[in-house]
């Protein structure tokens, strides 16, 4: 069929060429011999250009009648907001009926709690409860205002000062929600055009911060220092020297339980002139001889780390998060940290609870001995399985008797 159409078109073109050959025989324009074929081709091109440039015909629109409008509205079915929910998707999480300590009650039964991040067993600590009660009596439950607009209390200032003193840093800043610390801090410092090199195993909060920053994000293999160095080397050039460059890692990875080799990271940071943002939600109060985190664990001066963040909902058994570092790092966030500027401040009693928890940790270093003994016991019995609502951890850290 196609070959027949081609043959007909070729025959027609030849006929037109012959028809135009006679009138233009021997004609030469600007040194170009004019023949029938050339004339036919020019005419075809002119017709094509005309067809392409002319406005398409649109029939006049007639307004819809009221009945037609009503019929269309009745027939319209909106797209669903979510895919169909199957029976398998409907999972009700268990309800805890007591404090989430080493032993808790679910459906009237006492069970051993392997799903809590209560690493130091401070849930239910009397000193922390007493500090909360005193703060509740003074300030009430919530602040109903952000830190930059009448939402700052003495408890907030005291908590920031206490954390900075504990971590041996010049200053610190509180956030209302643990995970909001890291995904507010990253966009506060990393902007469009900056370069971030991040471990591919970072948890969702870090990933969200990376996305919000709009920076150029390059991932290296999880906890692989050869991959990190290769990535840094590729990104180090004259053009990159004019932009800000960061390495973003977790101290104790939530998704794998592995510890970041901070000594190697600091060495590479100094070699390639990058800054380091260290997320310590699962290492603060856990790693190091006194629970001061990954820097203490490796014996690295904390000044070598540019920015440290952590959530307080794990080892400290309260809520909220913090960022600690130099005075300039903290002051910058008081105007640019979205979770600090636009959220209601951390309830004062939770800030007071964090102070009491840090005091307890500093006064009772034996809790870390108990913690490590329990970790060893868990490994000995080969029980390495922890399931919570969001992910599967391959590390179990808790305090108290197993039985």
């Amino acid at each position: 069929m196609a070959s027949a159409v081609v043959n007909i078109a070729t025959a027609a073109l030849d006929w037109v060429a012959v028809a135009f050959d006679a009138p233009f025989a021997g004609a030469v324009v600007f040194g170009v011999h004019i023949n029938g074929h050339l004339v036919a081709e020019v005419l075809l091109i002119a017709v094509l250009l005309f067809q392409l440039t002319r406005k398409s015909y649109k029939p006049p629109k007639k307004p819809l009648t009221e009945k037609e409008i009503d019929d269309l509205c009745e027939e319209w079915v909106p797209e669903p907001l979510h895919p169909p929910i199957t029976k398998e998707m409907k999972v009700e999480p268990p309800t805890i009926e007591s404090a989430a300590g080493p032993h808790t009650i679910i459906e009237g039964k006492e069970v051993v709690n392997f799903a809590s991040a209560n690493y130091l067993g401070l849930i239910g600590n009397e000193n922390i409860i007493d500090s909360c009660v005193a703060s509740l009596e003074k300030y009430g439950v919530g602040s109903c205002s952000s830190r930059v607009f009448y939402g700052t209390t003495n408890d907030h200032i005291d908590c920031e000062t206490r954390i900075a003193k504990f971590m041996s840093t010049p200053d610190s800043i509180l956030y209302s929600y643990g995970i909001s610390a890291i995904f507010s801090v990253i966009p506060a410092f990393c902007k469009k055009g900056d370069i971030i090199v991040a471990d591919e195993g970072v948890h969702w909060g870090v990933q969200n911060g990376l996305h919000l920053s709009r920076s150029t994000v390059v991932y290296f293999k999880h906890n692989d220092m050869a991959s990190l160095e290769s990535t840094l080397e590729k990104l180090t050039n004259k053009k990159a020297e004019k932009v800000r460059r960061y390495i973003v890692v977790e101290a104790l990875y939530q998704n794998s339980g592995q510890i970041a080799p901070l000594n190697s990271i600091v060495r590479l940071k100094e070699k390639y002139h990058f800054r380091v943002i260290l997320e310590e939600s699962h290492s603060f109060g856990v790693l190091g001889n006194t629970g001061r985190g990954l820097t203490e664990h490796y014996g690295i001066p904390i000044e070598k780390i540019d920015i440290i963040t952590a959530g307080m909902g794990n080892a400290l058994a309260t809520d909220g998060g913090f960022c600690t570092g130099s005075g300039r790092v903290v002051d910058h966030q008081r105007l640019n940290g979205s979770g600090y500027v636009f959220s209601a401040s951390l309830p004062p009693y939770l800030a007071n609870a964090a102070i009491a928890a840090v005091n307890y940790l500093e006064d009772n270093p034996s809790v870390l001995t108990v913690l490590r003994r329990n970790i060893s016991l868990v490994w000995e019995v080969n029980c390495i399985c922890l399931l919570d609502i969001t992910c599967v951890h391959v590390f179990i850290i808790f305090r108290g008797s197993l039985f």
Side-chain angles (χ1 to χ4, degrees):
M1 181 66 182
S3 60
V5 173
V6 171
N7 292 333
I8 293 172
T10 304
L13 184 62
D14 291 340
W15 182 84
V16 172
V18 170
F20 281 104
D21 266 340
F24 293 100
V28 177
V29 178
F30 298 114
V32 179
H33 179 71
I34 305 300
N35 56 30
H37 271 288
L38 183 61
V39 173
E41 289 168 359
V42 170
L43 288 175
L44 286 174
I45 292 172
V47 171
L48 287 173
L49 290 174
F50 173 75
Q51 292 295 336
L52 290 173
T53 55
R54 71 189 294 245
K55 292 182 179 180
S56 60
Y57 172 76
K58 293 182 179 180
K61 292 183 178 180
K62 296 180 181 179
L64 297 175
T65 64
E66 291 293 330
K67 184 178 183 307
E68 290 174 331
I69 293 174
D70 291 340
D71 291 341
L72 288 174
C73 290
E74 289 179 3
E75 294 171 2
W76 180 74
V77 178
E79 288 292 326
L81 294 176
H82 54 78
I85 299 176
T86 63
K87 185 178 180 181
E88 291 75 16
M89 294 180 182
K90 297 180 179 179
V91 178
E92 292 294 332
T95 301
I96 297 177
E97 300 166 5
S98 66
H103 295 257
T104 190
I105 297 175
I106 296 178
E107 297 180 356
K109 298 179 181 180
E110 183 176 333
V111 296
V112 180
N113 185 5
F114 283 90
S116 171
N118 180 28
Y119 299 152
L120 301 179
L122 296 184
I123 288 181
N125 181 276
E126 293 183 2
N127 292 335
I128 296 177
I129 292 175
D130 291 342
S131 70
C132 289
V133 171
S135 184
L136 280 168
E137 291 176 348
K138 183 177 181 179
Y139 296 109
V141 176
S143 62
C144 298
S145 184
S146 71
R147 287 291 303 275
V148 297
F149 191 76
Y150 298 103
T152 298
T153 67
N154 289 332
D155 284 353
H156 296 117
I157 296 172
D158 292 344
C159 185
E160 289 172 344
T161 302
R162 186 68 185 91
I163 289 172
K165 181 181 178 182
F166 181 72
M167 295 295 291
S168 299
T169 54
D171 204 354
S172 62
I173 181 173
L174 285 183
Y175 284 87
S176 307
Y177 183 49
I179 208 169
S180 70
I182 187 62
F183 68 63
S184 295
V185 167
I186 293 177
F189 291 96
C190 310
K191 306 297 182 181
K192 187 175 182 179
D194 293 341
I195 296 174
I196 302 176
V197 178
D199 190 295
E200 66 181 8
V202 293
H203 66 69
W204 176 85
V206 181
Q207 294 174 23
N208 193 48
L210 297 174
H211 173 72
L212 292 174
S213 73
R214 299 187 300 166
S215 301
T216 300
V217 181
V218 181
Y219 291 96
F220 65 93
K221 294 180 182 179
H222 178 50
N223 242 9
D224 188 332
M225 293 302 99
S227 174
L228 173 59
E229 183 165 17
S230 174
T231 304
L232 297 180
E233 189 174 3
K234 290 177 183 177
L235 295 172
T236 302
N237 51 53
K238 291 183 179 180
K239 184 179 179 181
E241 289 176 0
K242 299 179 182 179
V243 301
R244 290 169 294 197
R245 301 177 294 179
Y246 302 87
I247 299 172
V248 178
V249 293
E250 287 180 67
L252 181 57
Y253 286 92
Q254 177 176 297
N255 293 333
S256 70
Q258 294 184 357
I259 297 174
L262 190 62
N263 50 355
S264 298
I265 292 171
V266 170
R267 177 182 60 81
L268 294 174
K269 163 218 169 182
E270 294 174 345
K271 178 179 178 180
Y272 293 99
H273 307 291
F274 275 67
R275 297 180 175 95
V276 172
I277 299 177
L278 181 63
E279 216 290 308
E280 292 226 55
S281 291
H282 292 284
S283 58
F284 179 74
V286 173
L287 295 180
N289 293 330
T290 60
R292 285 171 168 81
L294 193 62
T295 53
E296 185 182 45
H297 179 75
Y298 279 100
I300 293 174
I302 199 166
E303 316 76 72
K304 289 185 177 290
I305 308 302
D306 301 276
I307 302 171
I308 294 176
T309 68
M312 300 189 296
N314 300 323
L316 298 187
T318 176
D319 203 358
F322 68 84
C323 176
T324 191
S326 68
R328 294 184 66 180
V329 164
V330 169
D331 290 342
H332 180 75
Q333 292 174 71
R334 297 197 191 278
L335 293 176
N336 292 277
S338 57
Y340 179 89
V341 175
F342 298 107
S343 295
S345 64
L346 181 71
Y349 73 93
L350 292 176
N352 217 23
I355 296 172
V358 171
N359 290 339
Y360 182 86
L361 175 59
E362 195 167 51
D363 296 338
N364 300 273
S366 61
V367 294
L368 294 169
T369 304
V370 175
L371 170 64
R372 292 182 177 90
R373 187 182 68 210
N374 284 336
I375 295 172
S376 299
L377 180 59
V378 169
W379 279 101
E380 286 174 7
V381 297
N382 201 25
C383 178
I384 314 170
C385 179
L386 172 60
L387 178 65
D388 65 13
I389 297 174
T390 58
C391 64
V392 176
H393 297 264
V394 293
F395 59 91
I396 305 172
I397 306 174
F398 65 95
R399 178 179 182 268
S401 172
L402 280 173
F403 308 102

